[in-house]
Amino acid sequence: MGRRYDEYYYFEKVLTTAVSLICGLIAFNFFPFFPLSLSMVCFCLTLSLFIKYREERTRVFLIIFMFIFGIFYSFISYKALPEISFPDEEVFVEGIIADVPEMSEGKLRFTLSDVKVNEKELRGKVRLYIFQEKFGERVTEYLLSPGDRVGAVSILKEPVPFRNPGVFSYDLKKDGIIAIGYISNMRFSSSGSRLADRLYKKRQMLGRIIDNSLSKKSAGLHKAIVPGLKRSIAPGTREAFSAVGLAHLLSISGTHFGLLAFIIFGSVRRLVKCLPAPALTKMTLYITPSQIAVITTLPILLLYALISGASIPTVRSLIMVVIYMLALFLGRKGQWLNSLSIAAVIILLWQPDAVLELSFQLSFIAVLSIGYVLEAREKTTDEKTETTNKRELIKNIYEKVKTGILMTSAAVMGTAPVVALVFKQFPLIAPVTNLLVTPLVCFVILPLGFFTGFSALLLNLPSMPLNGITESVTGFTLWLVTLFSRLPYANFHIHNPSVLMTVCYYIALFLIFKRGLRSRSKWELLPLTLVIIWYLSVPYLNGNNFKVTFLDVGQGESAQIDLPDNKIMLIDGGTERPDIGRMVIAPFLWSRGIKRIDYVVLTHQHADHAGGLKYILDNFDVGEVWLNGRPAFEAEELFVKIKKYGIPFRIIKRGDVLEAEKYTVQVFHPYNEFHANSARGNFSDENSDSLVMRIESNGLSVLFDGDIEEEAEWDLVHLGKWLRSDVIKVPHHGGRTSSSRDFIDVVKPDIAVISVGRNNRFGHPNQETLNRYKSAGTKVYRTDIDGAVTITPGNGSPEVTTYKDTQFKKVDNWHDEVRNLRLLL
């Protein structure tokens, strides 16, 4: 009894330490935004702890100490990256390749550390790209190796994530990357010889062996789950796995580590037990077969973790396996929550910022949810066993299947708010696919890839043995995942929950988990039911007001309009490389609960306007497409999709009007007889063929004008007052050959919005253009500076909300904190 109490007390201390440390780290990150609120919460919690544990002051002081330690540790670990402005010209960059170079979409990508720019040391890392089409077929992911010192000529730019409300966009600065660049020339200096370099070279060699052995799609999967090289996964494959709730299989996770540990541990223990009886008897006087298996397994797993990149899920899994095996070695049974707590503490001491990273949150929430359900399930099963004695085979199978469904459902429910915020989807079919596909991947594909891959690596073979079998099984699995992803209602795209809604959801879920899986009254599910009803009703509570959002899509254009009759219009779709439709527009629409677009408008054919629309047509219900009627060779694939899906399209021109009860859309340009005949060539002519239209509703008018240049503007100015608008989308990204003074004087805009990419190679927007708007008294907003810009009708003047207005602001006074608190609702 005493030992059991000691173990329980130790378990409580470990859990308390982990939770307190996490709270301290979170408090440090959010204190600048909520100083008063967090101070009040801390005071109330401290007071309640002293009241609740007044006879266990040691526990209270431990909680307070770890909380304060978390804040202090975050403070001393925080290293702000330097703000550096790079010249708009080529520089010479030199450094050591710090990762495994990977190829994707015709680009070789690698990261440099120990960087020098023009012989000056730079604090931070630089990510460089080499275009295969520029340097030829010799550019492969095996051109360079980890640890190589290289020099390159490149124009460096600051990495800037897309800034749109409701859309998750990864910031490379979190990885310490302060610049990116595309190489125009490169030279090799020396090869690395450090231990880390040698390990990463083995990782690269393993990737090459897999490429030599399997087809491109199959190799992409094996490279992701064995050496942890994920860029080779095709976007379609990644989306299919995500859609059916199997995204966790595309990285090295706890499932992989647990399975490999089980196989290696079991194999070694069986081999030891096969020793001659006298030798085995003598050996067990000093060490058991299980202890020998533990001693053998742990170094192999540690080496594998290092070779595979030591990501957060990998480290978490390694730590949990190590703790479990040490418990076996010492003859003690560890607690899963204890192991998870220790893993969290070690990772956060290693990387304090990890508490805000997606991989940390998804990894630990999923394991926590599964652990609680399994624990409750085990208690329920034990209780039933006492009363039912022996089960029949069918009942055993049923219980195993039920447990599998409960595990998957627990992981899906536990991570649902995070998945909604980042991926905008809810994989309804996940319990089924995890029962059918996960065992296939974990018990067949992973062991095949792992043991044949490492066998080839150790024996210096060019390809994996048994690659025919591996290819067949992997190909079948990929086909099966694709099949499931195409089933109706397999996956739902869902909108973003608010912070308050997320907190209420987890409280409701905790109440259910705390009760366990025993019989419960229907009232216990009421809180969760109410939260879900609240969540599902949000898209219908936003009203039907006129709203225009100019999205931040880099060097391209896209705007989404909410019309007063609840119809949705999308004007242009940004680029295809990067795929703005996939990365920005679709997530933005899904975050707001939009699944149908009534009008897709393509102002003209150029790739920075049409590229992202292909993804939109593939993934949304589109009512009709509006076009300018001019030849569109660059957008040929888009027209193929329009025909494929049977989407109605209209050629609109000057004089066309869409008039509804509360809004009017007027088309001013082009018309059949217009020909720009620009001295600058066909590209400028195609720009000037852009659709120009004006949308007016509730006293707010917005002029959309694509990329028209001065020839089209000269043809439009005679329309006079018809062009007058409160807001203008600045034509051609603010380029020098657009926004003539006469055109601005006719439109007389109060607000101008420029859709443009940060540090673009075209020099947009042109300073002369900016000066013309400034002299006209027009307030200018830029997506490269302000992020997405949303405009709605106001009292007498348009109301403007930028991306910055949707984010937390550092508090200077109590009004700022009230503003931040409102963003939580």
Side-chain angles (χ1 to χ4, degrees), residues 34 72 175 192 345 818:
F34 305 98
F72 179 74
D175 294 332
V345 170
V818 171

Side-chain angles (χ1 to χ4, degrees), residues 314-617:
T314 301
V315 174
R316 187 261 306 161
S317 308
L318 175 65
I319 293 170
M320 293 189 68
V321 170
V322 167
I323 292 171
Y324 176 77
M325 288 200 164
L326 287 177
L328 285 178
F329 186 85
L330 298 173
R332 299 173 64 180
K333 186 178 179 181
Q335 302 233 14
W336 68 271
L337 193 53
N338 204 10
S339 303
L340 189 66
S341 302
I342 295 173
V345 170
I346 293 174
I347 289 173
L348 293 175
L349 291 177
W350 171 42
Q351 285 184 322
D353 290 343
V355 72
L356 299 179
E357 290 185 6
L358 177 65
S359 59
F360 179 90
Q361 295 167 4
L362 287 176
S363 178
F364 280 87
I365 290 173
V367 174
L368 194 64
S369 303
I370 292 171
Y372 266 118
V373 166
L374 285 180
E375 190 176 73
R377 174 75 176 152
E378 186 178 341
K379 290 178 182 178
T380 306
T381 305
D382 290 343
E383 289 176 3
K384 289 182 179 180
T385 303
E386 291 176 6
T387 56
T388 59
N389 296 322
K390 215 170 182 181
R391 295 180 181 274
E392 297 176 2
L393 178 61
I394 295 177
K395 288 186 177 180
N396 274 328
I397 295 173
Y398 169 76
E399 290 299 327
K400 295 292 183 184
V401 171
K402 186 177 178 181
T403 301
I405 293 174
L406 284 172
M407 287 173 61
T408 304
S409 300
V412 170
M413 294 294 289
T415 58
V418 181
V419 171
L421 284 168
V422 178
F423 302 109
K424 323 297 180 193
Q425 60 185 4
F426 185 82
L428 197 63
I429 202 172
V432 176
T433 54
N434 274 278
L435 276 177
L436 298 177
V437 180
T438 299
L440 191 59
V441 172
C442 293
F443 290 100
V444 181
I445 293 176
L446 176 62
L448 266 175
F450 182 86
F451 289 108
T452 59
F454 275 96
S455 296
L457 184 65
L458 293 172
L459 298 174
N460 200 25
L461 300 175
S463 61
M464 302 156 60
L466 305 177
N467 54 9
I469 297 173
T470 306
E471 174 65 39
S472 298
V473 176
T474 307
F476 171 74
T477 303
L478 292 173
W479 172 82
L480 193 63
V481 170
T482 304
L483 178 67
F484 279 125
S485 69
R486 292 174 178 172
L487 292 177
Y489 310 112
N491 175 57
F492 288 97
H493 289 288
I494 54 180
H495 56 278
N496 286 5
S498 67
V499 176
L500 179 61
M501 193 180 296
T502 301
V503 171
C504 293
Y505 174 84
Y506 278 120
I507 291 173
L509 212 59
F510 173 76
L511 294 175
I512 295 173
F513 281 167
K514 187 178 180 182
R515 173 72 178 177
L517 300 178
R518 299 179 183 86
S519 58
R520 56 171 67 90
S521 68
K522 58 184 178 180
W523 300 109
E524 291 179 32
L525 296 175
L526 182 61
L528 182 62
T529 304
L530 291 176
V531 172
I532 293 174
I533 292 173
W534 175 22
Y535 170 75
L536 294 176
S537 63
V538 165
Y540 305 99
L541 302 177
N542 291 329
N544 54 354
N545 299 318
F546 180 52
K547 179 165 70 173
V548 179
T549 301
F550 298 93
L551 296 172
D552 176 14
V553 296
Q555 187 62 20
E557 287 186 5
S558 184
Q560 184 263 315
I561 299 99
D562 289 11
L563 297 169
D565 55 359
N566 287 323
K567 290 186 176 180
I568 300 296
M569 178 181 287
L570 179 68
I571 301 178
D572 291 331
T575 60
E576 183 179 12
R577 291 190 177 184
D579 192 343
I580 293 301
R582 183 193 305 269
M583 298 170 62
V584 174
I585 302 173
F588 174 76
L589 296 172
W590 287 326
S591 74
R592 300 185 59 232
I594 297 172
K595 298 179 178 63
R596 174 181 168 82
I597 306 172
D598 297 279
Y599 310 107
V600 169
V601 182
L602 176 60
T603 59
H604 64 299
Q605 61 169 305
H606 289 164
D608 59 333
H609 292 250
L613 291 179
K614 288 186 284 187
Y615 186 85
I616 298 302
L617 297 189

Side-chain angles (χ1 to χ4, degrees), residues 106-120:
K107 291 185 294 186
L108 178 65
R109 186 193 82 176
F110 58 92
T111 305
L112 295 182
S113 61
D114 301 333
V115 178
K116 288 184 179 180
V117 176
N118 290 340
E119 300 299 326
K120 292 183 180 179

Side-chain angles (χ1 to χ4, degrees), residues 92-154:
F92 183 72
V93 189
E94 187 178 10
I96 298 173
I97 298 178
D99 58 1
V100 177
E102 292 190 75
M103 198 85 179
S104 178
E105 296 182 344
K107 291 185 294 186
L108 178 65
R109 186 193 82 176
F110 58 92
T111 305
L112 295 182
S113 61
D114 301 333
V115 178
K116 288 184 179 180
V117 176
N118 290 340
E119 300 299 326
K120 292 183 180 179
E121 291 188 3
L122 191 68
R123 186 161 67 87
K125 300 176 183 178
V126 173
R127 176 159 289 173
L128 297 176
Y129 298 87
I130 304 177
F131 277 109
Q132 191 177 47
E133 64 182 9
K134 183 174 183 178
F135 292 92
E137 294 299 322
R138 64 192 180 92
V139 175
T140 69
E141 54 192 353
Y142 309 112
L143 175 68
L144 301 167
S145 298
D148 289 352
R149 178 171 286 277
V150 297
V153 177
S154 173

Side-chain angles (χ1 to χ4, degrees), residues 771-799:
N771 292 339
R772 287 197 288 271
Y773 281 103
K774 183 178 180 180
S775 62
T778 303
K779 172 68 174 175
V780 176
Y781 292 90
R782 297 168 47 173
T783 58
D784 62 331
I785 295 175
D786 302 298
V789 179
T790 300
I791 300 177
T792 54
N795 295 323
S797 62
E799 290 187 2

